[in-house]
Amino acid sequence: MSLYYIKTDAKRCISCKACEVHCKSKNRVPLGARLGQLVSVGPVNKGGKPKIMSLFMPCFHCEEPWCVSACPTGAMTRREKDGIVFVQAKLCVGCKACIVACPWNVPQWDESAGKAIKCDFCRDRIDDGKNPACVTGCTAHALEFVRPNVASRNVRASWGEKLLKHQLEEPGL
């Protein structure tokens, strides 16, 4: 498993696609390709009000990535220290095996370069201690770049605080 993931707070997301714009801009992604995409459902009727539910979908950086095992040249690589899966452009011959192998359509085709491209969580930014461009550019602060164990610990702490507050307000329960 990757040591990181991008978490979407669906209650904060306003479906503006700033995440996609910042990703495309930072990574110079050509037209037609998306390294991460905002998937939206709706509008649906929730409590008499229209609501759109959205989730940002970057690469999952699988523990055993099919794209890596499908790549005949070793261009698709999984970094040992943090599990980030990325393309070594110099090694990519444009066979598209990684694109076919990924069940989530993550690797994309860069027509102008004749090579595969994919989300690498902006590893250059991570290596500099920064967040990925999609997270930084999210106008509603709905995206968070987290470590799975830290994220679950934060959720548990939040629920614990809510429970404690409820018990203090309702001491008989």
Side-chain angles (χ1 to χ4, degrees):
M1 169 168 32
S2 173
L3 295 180
Y4 303 103
Y5 76 100
I6 296 174
K7 178 179 141 190
T8 306
D9 182 345
K11 291 179 183 177
R12 294 189 67 94
C13 183
I14 59 172
S15 304
C16 68
K17 297 197 179 232
C19 49
E20 286 190 24
V21 171
H22 283 270
C23 173
K24 284 181 86 66
S25 176
K26 185 267 180 212
N27 294 297
R28 297 184 182 105
V29 178
L31 291 175
R34 295 189 290 186
L35 301 185
Q37 69 177 13
L38 189 70
V39 178
S40 299
V41 176
V44 295
N45 187 348
K46 274 231 164 180
K49 296 180 182 176
K51 179 87 172 146
I52 293 177
M53 299 298 292
S54 296
L55 177 67
F56 185 69
M57 299 289 292
C59 178
F60 296 126
H61 299 276
C62 305
E63 192 167 338
E64 294 180 30
W66 295 4
C67 60
V68 171
S69 56
C71 180
T73 65
M76 193 64 73
T77 306
R78 185 174 187 273
R79 201 159 74 166
E80 271 305 307
K81 72 178 185 176
D82 54 18
I84 293 174
V85 179
F86 65 98
V87 180
Q88 295 181 68
K90 292 178 185 174
L91 298 178
C92 181
V93 295
C95 69
K96 300 182 183 179
C98 59
I99 294 171
V100 172
C102 178
W104 297 279
N105 260 355
V106 170
Q108 300 282 297
W109 182 245
D110 181 346
E111 184 72 39
S112 62
K115 297 180 182 286
I117 56 175
K118 68 171 288 304
C119 167
D120 64 3
F121 283 156
C122 298
R123 65 189 161 100
D124 57 326
R125 291 179 56 88
I126 292 170
D127 293 345
D128 288 342
K130 300 175 185 172
N131 281 326
C134 58
V135 174
T136 302
C138 178
T139 58
H141 306 286
L143 297 182
E144 185 179 4
F145 188 59
V146 296
R147 289 177 171 257
N149 59 345
V150 172
S152 63
R153 187 178 326 126
N154 292 345
V155 168
R156 287 191 308 269
S158 172
W159 277 102
E161 290 169 10
K162 288 176 186 174
L163 180 61
L164 179 61
K165 182 180 175 186
H166 180 72
Q167 287 177 343
L168 291 173
E169 290 171 356
E170 305 281 337
L173 296 177

